[in-house]
């Protein structure tokens, strides 16, 4: 039994597993839909801005605490008055450049009041690697501006940032990780380390290299960080967590969770139009669950047909053809009777694929208008399209096809339907979806809803389908819907 599956075969997904699955789904999806790139990059920036907002007060408070600690230590060491301060020592006075790096190895000029040298030592000790970025900071302001202290814990490049607000997430995360005063307050400093690592990776991600999987990884690690009790005690962090959860739902298209719950709570039979849209959303989620199955099965179908056709026509093992168009291969359908197919392809390759598709179709009637025969050897989806009806010519893959389209592929393609243990679940699901599509009223009864959820669940639990990440995600949605219906 696979992990996460109980005796009944129902997939029981824990929260962490859930986010992993979501990430996996989106990674898979991304490989088919590069246009998501731009959107992903934008969402990543939003995520970082939100996280920055959430950690800022924690960072500021801890740096201020360290600043006060350093001042107190310096004054006690030197027997200075509590109100004493110094604003005349420069960073150059206190540190020197050695081998291109600014360090404390000198002899430095001593602060007349000895306060700045002592503070410098406290800051150095508070740095996890004992390597503050002296070049970032203006020592004259160490007593007055906490940001000048914070910058010691950031990597070089933050010199011109004058407020905590100006500093980006990466800068803040460096303070959290490098400054012991802050770091030691965390329940698990590794989370902050990972967040820092992610943020430096994210700096180099553009629309081209960013995937939705990256986004989910980032959201996951940033949420964990914000949920550390030491950070979450700040109201801004609580705000950020809520906003990030919204961004995640938006990115993953899971807003309907909320909608579904809302309208189910309103559920008195008959339910009103929001319930109808939730019903449609349920079908949408179910079809999302079929995407990988149909995409993968189409690839398999393509491999099988090509191998078989080469054997049948006694062609070379790499023989192919992209010259014959659909119009060349398929004569117009006569008013009466069947289409009379005639050989056209010089090698017989395309003719054999055509025959194979006719044979594969449950009623021997492929829908040729959907397909471009020139792409039969390069794009498996062009083969899958003949098992749908009118209207799917421009679809480039399962993710842009609705439930009805995908379920028709599964039902009409013999090779795919034999992958199901119980082919009836497919026709039942099609029936449920069809009933809803053709319903003349905007009302859904709880029973109708329940029937749909049950039928889609049975379909998605089919062994061949359930192993795909998108099916696991859809099953999770069905599980939620089902629980809500029980309430
Ligand atoms: Zn001084
Ligand atoms: Zn050909």
């Amino acid at each position: 039994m696979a992990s996460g599956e109980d005796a009944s075969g129902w997939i029981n997904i824990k929260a962490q597993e859930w986010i992993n699955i979501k990430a996996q789904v989106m990674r898979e999806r991304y490989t088919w839909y590069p246009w998501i790139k731009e959107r992903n990059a934008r969402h990543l920036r939003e995520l970082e801005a939100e996280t920055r907002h959430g950690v800022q007060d924690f960072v500021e408070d801890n740096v201020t605490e360290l600043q006060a600690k350093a001042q107190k230590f310096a004054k006690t060491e030197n027997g200075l008055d509590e109100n004493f301060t110094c604003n005349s020592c420069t960073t150059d006075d206190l540190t020197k450049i050695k081998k291109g790096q600014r360090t404390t190895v000198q002899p430095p000029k001593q602060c007349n009041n000895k306060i700045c040298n002592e503070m410098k030592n406290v800051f150095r000790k508070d740095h996890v690697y004992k390597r503050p970025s002296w070049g970032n900071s203006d020592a004259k302001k160490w007593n007055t501006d906490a940001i000048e202290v914070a910058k010691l814990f950031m990597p070089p490049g933050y010199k011109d940032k004058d407020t905590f607000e100006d500093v980006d997430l990466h800068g803040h995360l460096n303070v959290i990780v490098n400054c012991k005063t802050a770091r030691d307050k965390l329940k698990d400093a590794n989370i902050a380390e990972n967040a820092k690592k992610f943020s430096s990776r994210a700096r180099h991600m553009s629309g081209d290299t960013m995937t939705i999987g990256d986004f989910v990884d980032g959201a996951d690690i940033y949420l964990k960080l914000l949920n550390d009790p030491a950070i979450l005690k700040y109201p801004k962090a609580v705000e950020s967590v809520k906003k990030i959860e919204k961004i995640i739902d938006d990115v993953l298209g899971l807003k309907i969770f909320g909608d579904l719950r809302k309208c189910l709570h309103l559920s008195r039979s008959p339910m009103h139009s929001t319930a109808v849209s939730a019903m449609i959303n349920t079908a949408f989620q179910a079809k999302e669950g079929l995407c990988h199955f149909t995409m993968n099965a189409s690839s398999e179908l393509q491999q099988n047909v090509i191998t078989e056709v080469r054997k049948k026509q006694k062609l070379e093992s790499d023989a192919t053809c992209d010259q014959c168009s659909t119009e060349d291969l398929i004569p117009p359908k006569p008013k009466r009777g069947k289409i009379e197919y005639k050989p056209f392809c010089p090698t017989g390759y395309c003719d054999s694929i055509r025959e194979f598709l006719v044979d594969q179709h449950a009623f021997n009637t492929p829908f040729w208008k959907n397909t471009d025969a020139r792409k039969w050897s390069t794009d498996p989806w062009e083969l899958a399209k003949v098992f749908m009806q009118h209207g799917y010519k421009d679809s480039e893959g399962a993710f842009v096809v609705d439930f009805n389209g995908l379920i028709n592929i599964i039902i009409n393609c013999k090779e795919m339907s034999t992958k199901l243990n119980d082919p009836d679940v497919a026709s039942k699901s099609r029936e449920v979806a069809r009933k809803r599509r053709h319903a003349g009223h905007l009302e859904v009864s709880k029973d109708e809803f329940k029937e749909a959820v049950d039928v889609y669940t049975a379909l998605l639990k089919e062994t061949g389908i359930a192993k795909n990440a998108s099916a696991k995600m859809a099953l999770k949605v069905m599980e939620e819907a089902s629980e809500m219906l029980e309430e």
Side-chain angles (χ1 to χ4, degrees):
M1 199 188 299
S3 74
E5 241 173 85
D6 66 20
S8 65
W10 180 245
I11 293 172
N12 174 21
I13 302 167
K14 292 184 187 66
Q16 188 50 41
E17 243 175 292
W18 177 215
I19 201 155
N20 291 342
I21 288 168
K22 285 197 272 191
Q24 198 188 333
V25 168
M26 300 317 276
R27 262 189 216 105
E28 288 168 6
R29 189 169 310 179
Y30 175 78
T31 58
W32 283 307
Y33 288 94
W35 48 257
I36 303 177
K37 286 173 186 174
E38 270 310 306
R39 211 190 62 165
N40 295 349
R42 181 166 53 83
H43 283 304
L44 180 72
R45 305 300 158 221
E46 277 172 27
L47 173 69
E48 300 228 299
E50 233 6 280
T51 310
R52 197 204 65 78
H53 176 81
V55 297
Q56 188 187 314
D57 285 352
F58 172 75
V59 169
E60 198 167 342
D61 267 12
N62 278 283
V63 171
T64 308
E65 184 186 317
L66 172 65
Q67 183 190 37
K69 204 156 59 180
Q71 284 168 332
K72 192 166 181 238
F73 176 81
K75 287 170 197 168
T76 318
E77 274 304 279
N78 298 305
L80 296 168
D81 184 77
E82 208 186 300
N83 298 320
F84 192 84
T85 187
C86 170
N87 59 7
S88 52
C89 298
T90 66
T91 311
D92 278 342
D93 290 339
L94 298 160
T95 63
K96 287 283 176 288
I97 295 181
K98 194 189 169 197
K99 287 184 193 158
Q101 281 223 319
R102 192 171 282 277
T103 73
T104 55
V105 185
Q106 339 142 13
K109 192 174 136 193
Q110 289 286 326
C111 171
N112 288 337
N113 311 303
K114 294 198 175 144
I115 182 170
C116 299
N117 298 73
E118 298 292 359
M119 282 179 80
K120 182 194 71 183
N121 289 335
V122 174
F123 296 148
R124 189 172 168 274
K125 263 191 209 148
D126 210 73
H127 194 287
V128 171
Y129 305 104
K130 309 276 179 290
R131 275 201 317 266
S133 299
W134 302 115
N136 268 348
S137 178
D138 180 357
K140 279 188 184 172
K141 296 180 183 165
W142 281 353
N143 280 289
T144 50
D145 292 357
I147 185 68
E148 295 302 323
V149 177
K151 278 154 40 175
L152 294 170
F153 300 92
M154 297 177 199
Y158 285 88
K159 193 177 176 169
D160 61 341
K161 306 290 177 207
D162 296 327
T163 64
F164 284 90
E165 202 70 41
D166 284 347
V167 173
D168 65 2
L169 176 65
H170 190 66
H172 283 286
L173 291 175
N174 271 277
V175 178
I176 297 176
V177 166
N178 294 330
C179 170
K180 283 186 195 165
T181 302
R183 184 189 175 107
D184 291 350
K185 290 201 180 70
L186 299 177
K187 215 168 139 192
D188 181 358
N190 286 325
I191 291 173
E193 288 277 5
N194 289 336
K196 191 192 102 175
K197 267 184 216 147
F198 181 83
S199 83
S200 42
R201 209 155 68 76
R203 295 179 126 202
H204 305 290
M205 282 178 196
S206 64
D208 286 344
T209 51
M210 167 82 193
T211 72
I212 199 83
D214 292 323
F215 171 84
V216 177
D217 289 347
D220 185 32
I221 191 70
Y222 292 153
L223 272 180
K224 278 188 189 142
L225 180 68
L226 289 167
N227 274 299
D228 190 293
I231 297 178
L232 200 61
K233 72 175 192 187
Y234 293 93
K236 276 186 188 169
V238 178
E239 278 167 34
S240 293
V241 167
K242 278 189 196 141
K243 282 197 186 145
I244 290 173
E245 280 169 354
K246 269 205 188 115
I247 298 174
I248 295 174
D249 279 0
D250 186 26
V251 171
L252 299 179
L254 291 175
K255 271 192 182 145
I256 65 147
F257 268 145
D259 293 346
L260 204 60
R261 191 172 289 273
K262 210 161 53 192
C263 76
L264 280 162
H265 278 306
L266 296 171
S267 74
R268 294 183 189 93
S269 53
M271 294 192 263
H272 59 67
S273 62
T274 44
V276 175
S277 56
M279 257 303 268
I280 294 165
N281 282 331
T282 313
F284 172 80
Q285 287 295 332
K287 88 90 191 173
E288 291 281 292
L290 298 178
C291 286
H292 291 119
F293 175 75
T294 43
M295 293 291 269
N296 295 339
S298 308
S299 298
E300 265 177 54
L301 183 77
Q302 187 194 39
Q303 279 159 20
N304 293 346
V305 60
I306 291 176
T307 315
E308 203 179 302
V309 163
R310 283 173 184 154
K311 222 185 270 171
K312 193 175 161 193
Q313 297 288 348
K314 300 192 173 61
L315 298 168
E316 299 285 321
S317 64
D318 59 350
T320 180
C321 175
D322 59 3
Q323 299 301 310
C324 309
S325 72
T326 313
E327 291 72 27
D328 293 335
L329 296 162
I330 320 291
K333 195 175 183 297
K335 285 206 175 108
R336 278 169 201 208
K338 288 180 179 174
I339 303 179
E340 293 287 332
Y341 298 111
K342 292 189 192 91
F344 180 86
C345 182
T347 63
Y349 177 90
C350 300
D351 298 319
S352 286
I353 295 184
R354 180 192 59 207
E355 272 167 40
F356 178 94
L357 291 173
V358 172
D359 190 47
Q360 269 294 318
H361 196 284
F363 308 101
N364 306 115
T365 53
F367 195 86
W368 300 117
K369 279 182 187 156
N370 278 344
T371 187
D372 179 353
R374 289 197 182 93
K375 296 180 185 163
W376 280 351
S377 303
T378 49
D379 184 355
W381 196 243
E382 291 300 325
L383 299 175
K385 277 150 85 171
V386 306
F387 301 103
M388 295 188 279
Q389 331 79 318
H390 182 65
Y392 296 92
K393 190 174 191 297
D394 297 327
S395 76
E396 287 173 355
F399 289 113
V400 290
V401 170
D402 62 1
F403 183 80
N404 196 42
L406 295 188
I407 200 69
N408 274 311
I409 299 179
I410 296 172
I411 291 172
N412 292 333
C413 174
K414 288 180 191 164
E415 195 176 301
M416 288 202 210
S417 61
T418 53
K419 286 182 196 287
L420 303 184
N421 299 320
D422 176 10
D424 276 357
V425 294
S427 34
K428 275 185 206 151
S429 315
R430 181 169 65 179
E431 205 36 55
V432 161
R434 180 179 287 163
K435 227 162 54 187
R436 174 42 41 199
R437 257 199 337 277
H438 296 163
H441 51 85
L442 280 179
E443 282 168 359
V444 175
S445 70
K446 209 164 179 172
D447 286 344
E448 184 189 346
F449 214 140
K450 200 170 162 8
E451 186 194 9
V453 170
D454 288 349
V455 169
Y456 295 146
T457 301
L459 175 68
L460 293 162
K461 276 193 199 169
E462 273 285 338
T463 334
I465 299 175
K467 65 182 178 193
N468 295 294
S470 61
K472 286 181 189 165
M473 182 153 107
L475 273 169
K476 179 72 185 167
V477 177
M478 296 305 150
E479 187 182 13
E480 291 228 349
S482 179
E483 275 169 19
M484 285 184 261
L485 284 161
E486 296 298 322
E487 276 168 18

